[in-house]
Amino acid sequence: AQSVTQPDIHITVSEGASLELRCNYSYGATPYLFWYVQSPGQGLQLLLKYFSGDTLVQGIKGFEAEFKRSQSSFNLRKPSVHWSDAAEYFCAVGTQTGANNLFFGTGTRLTVIP
Amino acid sequence: DSGVTQTPKHLITATGQRVTLRCSPRSGDLSVYWYQQSLDQGLQFLIQYYNGEERAKGNILERFSAQQFPDLHSELNLSSLELGDSALYFCASSAPGSVGAQYFGPGTRLLVL
């Protein structure tokens, strides 16, 4: 069965500092991997996705993520955090069956301090 | 704005009651997914429909049911409501062939008193 672990429940960074949010997945085959962001009171917005090919994927809002098969990881990074990045971030794994349903991690809440 | 709409935004009801949540997918999307987000369970996949047919089931209770209509909008029916059903319910949609790239609506916040 597939699962996603986000080991950090809450991270605080200073504005302008770099950011890395961790995500580890468990899935028997090559996974489809996603990062979503949820601002307070909002739905989830897709930041980026990995299906195959280049293991470093670029997303919106200056985010990128790197797929490392050997570590079963898909960490999200941003070189310089903005105050507007404060939100909840979810990593998700999708299956390659026709179902396409996503399995989400528990989320990491990001606080940005001035 | 993802293009997915959900109504109502908020719903307050009592235990034992039944409610219906509505979702309209993005134009052209054939798949609709329902998720429940609660503090204790996190984000959980409930059910998926594709072009009117049920495609996959997740942790959906027997008290809950869904359907997708010919115009592709979907409804999630929650009955015999319990306090623990209080949660955010999200609908998402995806285009044919775009495996896994789901676009989420703003959600319906359900409060059961």
Side-chain angles (χ1 to χ4, degrees):
Chain A
Q2 51 276 78
S3 65
V4 176
T5 302
Q6 292 181 250
D8 303 306
I9 296 174
H10 186 202
I11 283 184
T12 300
V13 299
S14 298
E15 191 168 15
S18 64
L19 171 70
E20 183 168 26
L21 302 182
R22 295 183 292 166
C23 172
N24 292 97
Y25 68 89
S26 173
Y27 183 57
T30 299
Y32 297 151
L33 296 163
F34 308 84
W35 276 99
Y36 283 84
V37 60
Q38 184 180 26
S39 297
Q42 304 293 316
L44 281 78
Q45 182 182 22
L46 179 64
L47 282 177
L48 48 78
K49 60 190 183 223
Y50 170 79
F51 287 168
S52 64
D54 194 348
T55 56
L56 184 63
V57 294
Q58 303 296 321
I60 62 171
K61 305 184 180 187
F63 286 93
E64 66 178 26
E66 186 171 11
F67 170 58
K68 292 186 177 180
R69 184 187 301 273
S70 61
Q71 299 176 20
S72 298
S73 69
F74 189 57
N75 294 348
L76 182 71
R77 301 193 294 247
K78 186 169 184 177
S80 178
V81 169
H82 188 262
W83 64 266
S84 60
D85 293 325
E88 186 106 21
Y89 291 80
F90 292 91
C91 181
V93 61
T95 67
Q96 294 187 26
T97 67
N100 298 347
N101 44 296
L102 298 179
F103 293 85
F104 284 87
T106 49
T108 296
R109 184 158 62 93
L110 175 65
T111 297
V112 181
I113 55 177
Chain B
D1 185 358
S2 67
V4 178
T5 60
Q6 289 187 247
T7 55
K9 282 190 176 179
H10 303 276
L11 201 47
I12 301 174
T13 188
T15 55
Q17 296 298 303
R18 172 190 170 94
V19 297
T20 297
L21 313 183
R22 182 188 169 102
C23 167
S24 292
R26 296 185 317 159
S27 177
D29 286 358
L30 299 182
S31 280
V32 169
Y33 311 78
W34 285 98
Y35 291 86
Q36 179 194 60
Q37 185 179 35
S38 61
L39 283 175
D40 54 343
Q41 299 288 328
L43 252 173
Q44 289 204 91
F45 166 71
L46 295 178
I47 196 164
Q48 178 203 2
Y49 277 82
Y50 178 85
N51 203 20
E53 294 191 2
E54 182 184 303
R55 177 64 65 92
K57 257 186 177 179
N59 298 322
I60 188 166
L61 300 172
E62 285 192 12
R63 300 184 285 110
F64 296 179
S65 65
Q67 52 185 326
Q68 186 178 26
F69 295 87
D71 67 352
L72 300 176
H73 91 270
S74 178
E75 293 181 355
L76 180 67
N77 301 295
L78 314 177
S79 61
S80 303
L81 284 167
E82 302 175 359
L83 296 177
D85 297 328
S86 297
L88 255 176
Y89 291 85
F90 287 109
C91 167
S93 72
S94 66
S98 63
V99 178
Q102 297 177 20
Y103 296 86
F104 282 73
T108 293
R109 185 172 293 278
L110 173 66
L111 180 59
V112 181
L113 301 176

